[in-house]
Amino acid sequence: MNKDYYAVLMAGGVGSRFWPISTSDNPKQFHDMLGTGSTLIQKTFQRLNKFVPTENILILTNERYNDLVLEQLPMVKQDQVVLEPAMRNTAPCILYAAMKIQKMNENAVMIVAPSDHWIEDEEAFANDVTACFEKCKTENVLCTLGIKPSFPNTGFGYIEFDKSDNSQIKKVNQFREKPDYETAKDFLAQGNFLWNAGIFMWSVKTIVDAFKSYQPKQHQLFHEGVSEYNTSGEREFIANNYPKAENISIDYAILENSNAIYVLEATFDWNDLGTWGSLYDKLDKNQHNNAVVNAKVLSQDANGNMIRSKAGKVVVVDGLNDYIIVDKDEVLLIYPKTKEQDIKQVLNKVKETFGDEYA
């Protein structure tokens, strides 16, 4: 494996749209959402570990998930778990991780990858990432992977690339916010728009320099701790200074400012597993078009449902179509798939009504 290849695995999110399985104490990345025998974070680590050395993979997560990470990834050492003492979106934690890696290896190139995506063709994924790595090693560019849209999805941001660029890795014109349906249809008709998968590659030097140019205050804040990174003094510095960082995404902080962004259209199938509906789409269906995880299901006049329970539990469904049915401990969710984006609000109502122990 190439010793200059590094990975930052983003594992700090709560995944509230997967409630009640995903909770603030045990979010979705630490669950076997598809019933495969591996949790999402384990699958992501294994995928990256095919071309990135084990010791070069950092896991970015919230302090409260430290023990979960070490339990599920026993090959990882404590110093590979980069802990955020406060929630500050993606830009501060990426800069922090990049500076840590730069101190380890100034020639490093790195991938930033969410821990909750599902990618089946792992060889194609590795080939796409290493193609971007090679570009990043020789040019001062920031690369991302884009997904060819299969329908006018309004739940994703889009990447508009230069139509006149005949290269494999194309110049990005701009990032576009989540569109309405008509705008999304127009994007697909134009033919030079890709879904933004939130997977990024760059050299540590290029990304740190980009922060210096576009986010000088953020850069200065974290640069003051360089002498402490990867030493016993790091934790105290981060505890005292990380909460001072601006709450801002990498998209707003860097990607929308830089004119050196390039995109490679992914050659692999991809699912962001952001909602119960996206999980339903990914899973195999039974003869009644129901997607089932763990449960033993007996159904009558029930089609298109997403059904999950603890292993071996018998679930009987009659007369329900296109519902999310999830049974976990003290919570039973029976909710229309068409309203899945509202589960976040439902969770807030449950907390207000019954208390945080159900969330």
Side-chain angles (χ1 to χ4, degrees), residues 307-324:
I307 304 168
R308 178 180 171 125
S309 73
K310 68 179 181 181
K313 187 162 190 174
V314 173
V315 178
V316 181
V317 186
D318 191 338
L320 275 183
N321 297 296
D322 298 315
Y323 266 72
I324 299 161

Side-chain angles (χ1 to χ4, degrees), residues 4-64:
D4 292 337
Y5 287 2
Y6 286 75
V8 173
L9 200 162
M10 307 284 280
V14 174
S16 53
R17 289 186 178 88
F18 271 110
W19 182 80
I21 297 299
S22 182
T23 64
S24 56
D25 286 334
N26 195 358
K28 67 174 179 176
Q29 59 268 28
F30 301 109
H31 290 277
D32 177 8
M33 297 302 298
L34 290 99
T36 63
S38 297
T39 65
L40 294 178
I41 193 172
Q42 288 170 336
K43 286 294 292 183
T44 305
F45 190 95
Q46 292 160 12
R47 185 185 313 130
L48 294 167
N49 204 195
K50 291 182 185 301
F51 59 97
V52 179
T54 301
E55 64 274 14
N56 287 6
I57 302 177
L58 303 185
I59 293 84
L60 262 173
T61 193
N62 191 277
E63 284 183 335
R64 69 194 300 186

